Amino acid sequence: MADTESGIPIEPVYGPEDLTGWDPAAKLGEPGSYPYTRGVYPTMYTGRPWTMRQYAGFGTAAESNARYRQLIAGGGTGLSVAFDLPTQMGHDSDAPLAHGEVGKVGVAIDSVDDMRVLFDGIPLDRVSTSMTINAPAALLLLLYQLVAEERGIAGGQLTGTIQNDVLKEYIARGTYIFPPGPSLRLTADTFRYCRAEIPKWNTISISGYHMAEAGASPAQEVAFTLADAIAYVRTAIGAGMAVDEFAPRLSFFFVARTTLLEEVAKFRAARRIWARVMREEFGAQDPRSLMLRFHTQTAGVQLTAQQPELNLVRVAVQGLAAVLGGTQSLHTNSFDEAIALPTEKSARLALRTQQVLAHETDVPHTVDPFAGSYAVERMTDELEEAALALMRRIEDLGGAVAAIEAGFQKGEIERNAYRIAQETESGERVVVGVNRFALEREEPYEPLRVDPAIEDRQRAALAALRENRDPAEVSAALTALRAAAAGTANVLYPMKRALRARATVGEVCGALREVWGPYVPADSTW
């Protein structure tokens, strides 16, 4: 008998006895109604397809801008921006810690000047933009708003998402800047700012994707993501906001693996758990507050450098799992991402994969095709039970932040990742082209390479910026930001003034570091 990736046995045959005592009204409901197991909208894709949001960003703002234009011209309906590591960590491109990393895993953004180039010619009032940025998410959102305002576009016309999920950085990714307390304060300030200034913006995308990439099982992915979400909701309520003021703008971000049946069950279980938490724990009344709306990205960790064309098949299966699971938007990885940044051709093929799913299959023509499936409904129940058990353990530790500080989630993920690695090494877990059906010699492949001179160009641009701005205006704005950070005022307003004065991302984050300090993780006790 096989097991799911969450360690739940998969039965060779499922039948009515597997759903004995099963209440369809309580477990399923109707599509677009509580508990949203069958999807958050009544018609799902029968009215229009999911948003095809391709994730891209590399090198300079100009190079990334050219890729965005290609994706839009090729039929993409949303942009998703990848930032380089220095930007993610709040460092300018000329900082010593940035050396060798500028433009490598995403685009380098140092100031409003770069953001202006990044979105040159992109209709910000008509394109939905997602930005994969966490610790400095508020800064990048404000830079985006400043560019829009320069074009006469009001905040109320902007749509998109900032990831803004710093808790998972302490668990799985490590691109944190400040300690958890100030980070959560910055999140709450962002919620309040967007409610007043950018009301259609999704203020957070609470992410299980990166935990899954670090080795989390589907049950762990759901449990740890929703536990983090509960912490954000409690923080916002503690800051004086009513739950229905901000909860409708919460969104989520999950992975889609090749284990199609378990992934479909995972998405359905996550929706059901979240609806009940929001209604029963937080007393949310607005139906939108109960809806777990999510973006999906296919599983980068399952891509292989060996026989990379096989990744086209993997991505198609993963994308299908996301669609069958009811995702609101989808990014399909390019087949060559295990080797290097995607080429223009491979990025186009990734988008075409979604278009085939949307226009050549019959999947979008009916809502929740797996509803009532003995296998999927049983898996959904089992995943729900496994995730809830982990969420109870987190609550017993004092909630998500206390569990993070104790190293609980990180330890659980590491153990699961080790189990997967052992199974792959032994051959128990088959990876086609790697531990079975391998080639004696791989065919050569020419990847996209980032020009190392990008760092020099960014340095020169920063030098010119500092030479041509008003230093007194920048200094005064950063002083006001420090004062707000030390007090209780919303830091986004003085932050926006500093960025408008052409303060850099590194300078703004540096001012906050002076007040809040950096985060130094404790050793795990798990």
Side-chain angles (χ1 to χ4, degrees):
M1 182 184 296
D3 288 346
T4 69
E5 294 219 356
S6 296
I8 300 167
I10 302 176
E11 302 293 337
V13 178
Y14 291 88
E17 65 278 6
D18 291 293
L19 300 181
T20 301
W22 196 77
D23 182 357
K27 294 285 190 178
L28 289 178
E30 294 298 321
S33 64
Y34 186 88
Y36 301 102
T37 310
R38 303 197 62 192
V40 294
Y41 302 124
T43 58
M44 290 302 291
Y45 314 132
T46 62
R48 66 180 181 87
W50 59 93
T51 299
M52 299 178 193
R53 189 185 299 283
Q54 288 304 99
Y55 183 52
F58 63 95
T60 64
E63 289 172 298
S64 292
N65 174 263
R67 177 63 61 85
Y68 296 156
R69 292 181 185 228
Q70 291 161 1
L71 289 170
I72 291 172
T77 53
L79 298 176
S80 186
V81 183
F83 298 94
D84 71 358
L85 281 175
T87 305
Q88 293 182 47
M89 299 293 290
H91 296 293
D92 291 331
S93 296
D94 58 358
L97 286 174
H99 180 59
E101 293 294 339
V102 176
K104 289 293 180 65
V105 299
V107 61
I109 298 294
D110 292 316
S111 72
V112 69
D113 294 7
D114 289 328
M115 189 64 87
R116 196 178 294 121
V117 173
L118 183 66
F119 289 101
D120 180 48
I122 305 293
L124 302 185
D125 54 344
R126 299 198 303 275
V127 170
S128 171
T129 301
S130 174
M131 292 187 276
T132 305
I133 193 73
N134 294 286
L139 283 76
L140 276 299
L141 174 59
L142 292 172
L143 290 174
Y144 188 84
Q145 184 188 17
L146 286 168
V147 170
E149 288 176 349
E150 291 174 357
R151 301 185 194 172
I153 301 171
Q157 296 175 270
L158 299 178
T159 59
T161 305
I162 43 172
Q163 195 161 97
N164 198 27
D165 174 14
V166 74
L167 290 181
K168 64 99 173 46
E169 298 297 328
Y170 305 115
I171 296 172
R173 279 192 85 234
T175 62
Y176 42 72
I177 299 175
F178 316 113
S183 294
L184 287 174
R185 182 263 181 96
L186 185 56
T187 299
D189 281 357
T190 303
F191 288 177
R192 283 197 296 263
Y193 179 88
C194 286
R195 184 165 65 93
E197 308 291 343
I198 317 177
K200 295 180 182 178
W201 199 269
N202 295 317
T203 51
I204 193 168
S205 177
I206 306 154
S207 175
Y209 180 87
H210 305 90
M211 297 184 227
E213 292 286 280
S217 70
Q220 290 173 337
E221 180 189 359
V222 170
F224 299 160
T225 303
L226 297 189
D228 285 354
I230 289 168
Y232 291 124
V233 172
R234 288 173 177 164
T235 297
I237 291 172
M241 299 181 70
V243 66
D244 287 324
E245 289 180 344
F246 65 87
R249 303 314 307 174
L250 302 179
S251 64
F252 293 81
F253 176 23
F254 293 112
V255 78
R257 302 169 178 83
T258 52
T259 45
L260 186 146
L261 296 180
E262 186 179 19
E263 290 300 284
V264 172
K266 177 190 77 178
F267 296 130
R268 300 168 88 249
R271 277 194 296 268
R272 194 155 71 204
I273 294 171
W274 185 244
R276 288 175 178 160
V277 165
M278 292 304 288
R279 188 166 80 170
E280 296 173 10
E281 179 173 344
F282 296 111
Q285 300 296 314
D286 188 334
R288 297 174 302 162
S289 299
L290 311 179
M291 297 178 183
L292 186 144
R293 297 170 301 112
F294 65 96
H295 170 71
T296 309
Q297 182 172 336
T298 56
V301 73
Q302 292 187 320
L303 302 181
T304 64
Q306 299 92 334
Q307 301 182 49
E309 293 83 359
L310 292 173
N311 295 329
L312 286 165
V313 181
R314 294 185 178 104
V315 167
V317 173
Q318 294 162 0
L320 180 60
V323 172
L324 289 169
T327 192
Q328 275 59 72
S329 65
L330 176 62
H331 164 77
T332 36
N333 290 325
S334 300
F335 75 89
D336 51 357
E337 287 188 40
I339 301 170
L341 288 169
T343 63
E344 180 183 343
K345 180 179 180 179
S346 65
R348 184 171 60 249
L349 282 170
L351 176 60
R352 293 287 182 262
T353 300
Q354 295 199 49
Q355 291 165 336
V356 168
L357 292 175
H359 301 294
E360 294 191 24
T361 76
D362 54 4
V363 170
H365 301 319
T366 188
V367 177
D368 192 23
F370 276 132
S373 158
Y374 298 130
V376 169
E377 298 298 0
R378 175 67 179 269
M379 286 185 178
T380 301
D381 287 352
E382 290 173 332
L383 266 166
E384 181 180 14
E385 291 169 8
L388 286 171
L390 285 167
M391 291 171 72
R392 285 192 290 269
R393 292 181 68 184
I394 291 170
E395 285 296 296
D396 290 343
L397 289 168
V401 174
I404 287 168
E405 291 173 340
F408 171 70
Q409 297 98 317
K410 187 171 183 290
E412 291 290 300
I413 290 170
E414 287 171 350
R415 271 192 289 277
N416 194 66
Y418 182 62
R419 174 181 67 85
I420 292 170
Q422 284 184 309
E423 292 174 359
T424 304
E425 185 70 23
S426 69
E428 180 183 352
R429 177 183 295 271
V430 175
V431 181
V432 175
V434 176
N435 62 5
R436 196 178 297 182
F437 313 113
L439 296 176
E440 290 186 7
R441 179 188 298 179
E442 290 288 332
E443 297 178 5
Y445 180 78
E446 184 59 36
L448 176 69
R449 302 185 188 278
V450 174
D451 184 356
I454 284 171
E455 185 171 334
D456 293 333
R457 293 199 291 272
Q458 286 295 116
R459 286 174 173 272
L462 278 166
L465 176 145
R466 294 187 178 110
E467 182 69 25
N468 294 316
R469 68 187 181 182
D470 184 340
E473 184 182 6
V474 173
S475 178
L478 292 175
T479 297
L481 175 61
R482 292 186 196 94
T488 59
N490 191 318
V491 297
L492 269 74
Y493 289 96
M495 187 185 292
K496 185 180 179 183
R497 288 194 294 272
L499 293 168
R500 183 186 287 117
R502 301 176 77 199
T504 67
V505 168
E507 289 166 344
V508 170
C509 288
L512 294 176
R513 282 188 186 95
E514 291 177 30
V515 179
W516 292 340
Y519 176 68
V520 180
D523 292 334
S524 171
T525 59
W526 293 87

